[in-house]
């Protein structure tokens, strides 16, 4: 089944403890991206990647890192999480964002205490 | 400053009603997307538009590039259409999202 898989679905962590949210797609998509969703603010783009080893900042990149060492994986790294990074996170991918729609992961609900 | 504005924020309809959700944007775009977010949180891509009109089942999406406006219509609405509908615009490689329209369809 064609899908974007995020892990974990739920995570509670403490301030300052490094964490990684994984994202993997099995559709050979070139484009991958990360978003956070907050009440009243909607979805906001964190980082995106047009291809392997090519990443760029979105609207709200501060406090986040990403890497794209292989096409299928695009992990989101929080080196030193803070409570303001408590949010619902989505990963998405597309074969060609100029032509095709997006496939979203199921989301990761992160709580930083 | 919001690049994308949606209206209404909340909408309640009776089953069978014709529904319209509006999206206005202020930036130059290469494409506009309509997304559906289910009560469980999952997001599904409904349409991608750069001009004109698209139809899929009971859903119709239109865009007017000159007026920077798009509409999502649902004909013969059904309780299973209850969800949050999100408008998103792509400018270059960046995305900007509306805050969503929460639709409830009552049987």
């Amino acid at each position: 089944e064609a899908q974007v898989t995020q892990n974990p679905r739920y995570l509670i962590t403490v301030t300052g403890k490094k964490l990684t949210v994984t994202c993997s797609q099995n559709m050979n998509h070139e484009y991958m991206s990360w978003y956070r969703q907050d009440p009243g603010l909607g979805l906001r783009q964190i980082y995106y990647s047009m291809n392997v080893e090519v990443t760029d900042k979105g609207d709200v990149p501060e406090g986040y890192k990403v890497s794209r060492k292989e096409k299928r994986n695009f992990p989101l790294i929080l080196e030193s999480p803070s409570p303001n990074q408590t949010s619902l996170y989505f990963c998405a991918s597309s074969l060609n964002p100029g032509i095709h729609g997006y496939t979203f992961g199921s989301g990761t609900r992160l709580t930083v205490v | 400053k919001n690049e994308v504005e949606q209206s209404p924020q909340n909408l309640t309809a009776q089953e069978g009603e014709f529904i319209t959700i509006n999206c206005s944007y202020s930036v130059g775009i290469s494409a506009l997307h309509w997304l559906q977010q289910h009560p469980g949180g999952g997001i599904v891509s409904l349409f991608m538009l750069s001009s004109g009109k698209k139809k899929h089942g009971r859903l119709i999406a239109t865009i007017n590039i000159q007026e920077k406006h798009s509409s999502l219509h649902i004909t013969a609405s059904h309780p299973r259409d209850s969800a949050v509908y999100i408008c998103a615009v792509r400018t270059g490689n960046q995305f900007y999202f509306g805050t969503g329209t929460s639709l409830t369809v009552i049987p």
Side-chain angles (χ1 to χ4, degrees), chain A residues 31 35 37 40-45 48 50 57-59 88 90 97-102 104, chain B residues 3 30-31 33 35 37 40-45 48 54 86 90 93-99:
Chain A
Y31 181 96
Y35 307 90
Q37 186 177 37
L41 296 175
L43 284 155
R44 291 177 292 170
Q45 191 176 36
Y48 62 93
M50 296 299 293
K57 296 176 181 178
D59 216 15
L88 179 59
F90 288 97
I99 302 170
H100 301 282
Y102 287 75
F104 283 82
Chain B
E3 289 83 2
S30 50
H33 295 251
L35 310 173
Q37 186 167 26
I43 298 175
V44 173
S45 181
M48 186 184 76
K54 287 190 176 179
I86 300 168
R90 180 166 171 260
N93 289 315
Q94 300 227 6
F95 263 97
Y96 300 100
F97 297 84
T99 52

Side-chain angles (χ1 to χ4, degrees), chain B residues 1 10 16-17 19 21 23 35 49-50 53-54 57 59 74 76-78 85-86 92:
Chain B
K1 169 179 166 291
N10 298 286
E17 283 187 14
I19 288 162
I21 299 170
C23 174
L35 310 173
L49 293 160
S50 53
K53 174 180 173 178
K54 287 190 176 179
L59 273 60
I74 304 175
S77 59
H78 189 277
Y85 293 84
I86 300 168

Side-chain angles (χ1 to χ4, degrees), chain B residues 22-93:
Chain B
N22 296 299
C23 174
S24 296
Y25 53 91
S26 59
V27 294
I29 68 168
S30 50
L32 182 143
H33 295 251
W34 282 102
L35 310 173
Q36 181 192 53
Q37 186 167 26
H38 297 290
I43 298 175
V44 173
S45 181
L46 296 175
F47 293 105
M48 186 184 76
L49 293 160
S50 53
S51 64
K53 174 180 173 178
K54 287 190 176 179
K55 184 176 189 291
H56 186 255
R58 294 179 295 105
L59 273 60
I60 302 165
T62 64
I63 188 169
N64 185 318
I65 297 293
Q66 286 73 29
E67 294 186 4
K68 296 189 174 180
H69 181 268
S70 175
S71 293
L72 177 68
H73 306 286
I74 304 175
T75 62
S77 59
H78 189 277
R80 66 175 174 266
D81 297 325
S82 298
V84 175
Y85 293 84
I86 300 168
C87 173
V89 299
R90 180 166 171 260
T91 173
N93 289 315

Side-chain angles (χ1 to χ4, degrees), chain A residues 39-88:
Chain A
L41 296 175
L43 284 155
R44 291 177 292 170
Q45 191 176 36
I46 303 171
Y47 268 97
Y48 62 93
S49 170
M50 296 299 293
N51 212 329
V52 175
E53 302 292 0
V54 180
T55 63
D56 213 339
K57 296 176 181 178
D59 216 15
V60 288
E62 295 79 18
Y64 305 95
K65 283 175 58 178
V66 292
S67 69
R68 189 90 183 273
K69 293 187 171 64
E70 46 189 343
K71 188 182 274 191
R72 65 183 290 121
N73 295 321
F74 191 45
L76 180 69
I77 303 156
L78 284 73
E79 294 270 4
S80 183
S82 62
N84 65 12
Q85 293 179 297
T86 292
S87 188
L88 179 59

